[in-house]
DNA sequence: GCTCGAACTTGAACATGTTCAAGTTAATAA
DNA sequence: TTATTAACTTGAACATGTTCAAGTTCGAGC
């Protein structure tokens, strides 16, 4: 028995290991068919109820097959996550090119998140918890999922940049990351939301986006100057320490 | 193959089932010895690296033994969580009876959280992710862990109540829950903190507790009245909808 | 002291994520 | 055409959390 704090058979080894993309036509098609099977099954049954054996079955490959292309089951979820991000980005394109009001842009963007994710609502809980795990490759503060997180943050940067709101530069710098974090909070709320049509979440989104925009505009008040400076420099320190 | 979104062998059944407390001396001692073994092992090796077989071994019972007293491995963590809560409550007793300044009470309380949890820092990540899982019995928004969460919220109510700060009643009502949520955020930051002596977390605590107290005192400003009302009624609606 | 049954204990069996040594395929070089 | 070899595929084997039918213990009631 190992006493060194590591299990003798640490099953997470593969999770850190990079896997080269397919090198042949056959490989490409195998990867695609496995991924599609996984995406479908996650949506049909949820994360935990989807077994690697079921994925292999539906993809028409053998059990070990997926592991040639994806280091772990979690990595398959990462692709799932990327997929919904692309749906979301696509969905808000018209809004972002038409609307200039910051509150409306923000509201529309966050509403689009939960609307895009609605088909996966039943599944979302277990995925979220995997995402929250600091040692998971899906953790947005960690390594593997970092690029995807940066894409989402960039999307919120675009929400802010394309608006006609005049925002002090120190706030504008931190706002996208803050909004991403805020979106995570909304998603967590949405997971617990059992109201019909997820109306409660939509209400909370409307109310909070409005509040955020109002708070940003209030931040210039003399009484708030001090706190604002402190908040922003704290956030900056945290972000920099993280990188 | 089941297509109904439930795995044919749902292994979470036991997790919801209540288990009666031991009825005999032998049962009591078995439960205690299993729990102690689990607590020790979690601390030594972490959550994932601790196997049910190892717990059974150290406790001197057979593999299935634990399942007579704890419905799942996660329920053993719940006890672990309760244990640290008790350590924490004990640790801040002197502070709460001596100090009256709100900022100092809050700072001391939150500092005590991370100091109490320090021995489990390496383990905390996997535990946190279990806690975040909406379908886990450990989830504080869910069922089983609710009483424990209420205890922690009550502790923050005491932090506020025992201070000499004069806080508007509508804020005072929501503050304990907010502070509990804030503490969760700090813990999540702390999990990622690799600075020596966890100094960065302590700095963030000092800065943020100060900011919170300052914000509370600013909330009476006329310009902030509107936002404050909206924030508080939103929070109230959320809390009530949750229950 | 004896019996009965609830409380407790056991460990084989199961489903699952992951590993890996061995096998198969097919594109390129000769 | 044939040989070479990297890419790809396979499925048995492993460790693990959990279940459960079958056994054991021991105190209450006679």
């Amino acid at each position: 028995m190992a006493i060194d704090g590591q299990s003798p058979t640490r099953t997470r080894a593969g999770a850190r290991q990079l896997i080269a993309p397919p090198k042949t036509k056959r490989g490409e098609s195998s990867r695609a068919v496995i991924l599609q099977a996984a995406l479908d099954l996650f949506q049909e049954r949820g994360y935990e109820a989807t077994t690697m054996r079921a994925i292999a079955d539906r993809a028409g490959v053998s059990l070990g097959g997926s592991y040639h292309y994806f280091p772990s089951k979690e990595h398959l979820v990462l692709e799932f996550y990327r997929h919904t991000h692309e749906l979301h980005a696509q969905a808000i394109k018209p809004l972002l090119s038409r609307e200039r009001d910051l509150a409306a842009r923000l509201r529309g963007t966050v509403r689009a998140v939960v609307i895009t994710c609605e088909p996966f609502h039943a599944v979302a809980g277990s995925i979220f918890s995997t995402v929250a795990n600091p040692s998971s490759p899906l953790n947005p503060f960690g390594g593997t999922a970092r690029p995807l997180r940066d894409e989402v943050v960039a999307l919120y940067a675009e929400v802010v940049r394309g608006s006609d709101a005049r925002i002090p530069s120190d706030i504008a710098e931190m706002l996208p990351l803050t909004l991403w974090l805020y979106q995570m909070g909304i998603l967590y709320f949405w997971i617990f939301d059992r109201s019909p049509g997820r109306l409660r979440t939509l209400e909370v989104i409307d109310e909070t986006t409005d509040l955020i925009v109002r708070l940003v505009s209030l931040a210039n008040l003399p009484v708030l100057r001090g706190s604002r400076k402190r908040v922003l420099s704290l956030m900056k320190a945290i972000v920099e320490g993280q990188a």
Side-chain angles (χ1 to χ4, degrees), chain A residues 49-68:
Chain A
T50 298
T51 69
M52 293 302 280
R53 283 161 182 83
I55 293 173
D57 268 8
R58 182 168 299 198
V61 301
S62 76
L63 175 59
S66 320
Y67 290 92
H68 189 71

Side-chain angles (χ1 to χ4, degrees), chain A residues 135-146:
Chain A
S135 61
S136 164
L138 272 75
N139 188 284
F141 300 105
T144 315
R146 185 63 188 274

Side-chain angles (χ1 to χ4, degrees), chain A residues 10 17 44 52 54-55 73 84 92 106 128 131 136 163 172 182 196 200 208 212 216 222 234:
Chain A
R10 199 90 175 90
Q17 156 197 333
E44 278 174 33
M52 293 302 280
I55 293 173
K73 193 181 173 188
T84 65
I92 60 174
L106 187 53
F128 200 100
V131 168
S136 164
S163 85
Y182 157 72
R200 281 170 51 73
T208 47
I212 289 170
V216 167
L234 177 64

Side-chain angles (χ1 to χ4, degrees), chain A residues 52-106:
Chain A
M52 293 302 280
R53 283 161 182 83
I55 293 173
D57 268 8
R58 182 168 299 198
V61 301
S62 76
L63 175 59
S66 320
Y67 290 92
H68 189 71
Y69 300 101
F70 305 94
S72 76
K73 193 181 173 188
E74 286 176 340
H75 279 79
L76 282 164
V77 183
L78 186 58
E79 297 298 314
F80 183 79
Y81 183 23
R82 190 191 311 281
H83 182 239
T84 65
H85 166 64
E86 268 149 29
L87 288 181
H88 177 234
Q90 208 57 44
I92 60 174
K93 247 185 191 162
L95 172 81
L96 292 190
S97 65
R98 162 175 33 94
E99 180 65 60
R100 287 290 156 258
D101 178 63
L102 179 57
R105 288 168 74 87
L106 187 53

